[in-house]
Amino acid sequence: MAAPSKVLAAKTAPDRQDRITRMAAVMQHHQSGDGACTFAHLAAAGFSEAEIEAYRDAAREQLSGRPIAITLPAGRVEGLALVRHARAVRARRNAAHPA
């Protein structure tokens, strides 16, 4: 897994759309020739690990012509729920006992 800072840099790169279009072309080429495009194919085409992580879903969307549903891992969903709960508890406490 690429460093989050590198993935963020790839997502905000000025040539992001060009790289997504290029990745889609590589995916399409390998799909038609090999039946599938792998991480190794994308790396061999010059994409960094961060770029692959940042652009793969957008490239798939481009190929399919429709959005790809992005799901969060269960642990992330649970963590976000705990944060919401903690904020609600804090808000109730602050309302009951203003500073």
Side-chain angles (χ1 to χ4, degrees):
M1 183 167 172
S5 60
K6 290 183 177 184
V7 174
L8 179 62
K11 286 182 177 182
T12 58
D15 65 343
R16 178 181 189 271
Q17 193 54 53
D18 293 336
R19 298 293 285 166
I20 290 169
T21 300
R22 171 77 178 119
M23 183 177 285
V26 170
M27 288 175 162
Q28 189 171 35
H29 170 77
H30 285 288
Q31 167 62 30
S32 64
D34 301 332
C37 182
T38 66
F39 182 92
H41 289 129
L42 295 173
F47 292 99
S48 69
E49 184 177 357
E51 286 178 313
I52 294 168
E53 192 170 327
Y55 304 153
R56 67 179 172 224
D57 290 333
R60 288 179 187 141
E61 284 180 17
Q62 209 174 74
L63 288 171
S64 70
R66 60 181 190 265
I68 303 295
I70 297 183
T71 58
L72 295 175
R76 174 89 174 163
V77 172
E78 183 180 358
L80 293 171
L82 290 171
V83 168
R84 282 192 302 275
H85 179 70
R87 287 178 178 158
V89 168
R90 189 177 303 123
R92 284 194 307 270
R93 184 197 66 200
N94 290 343
H97 304 290

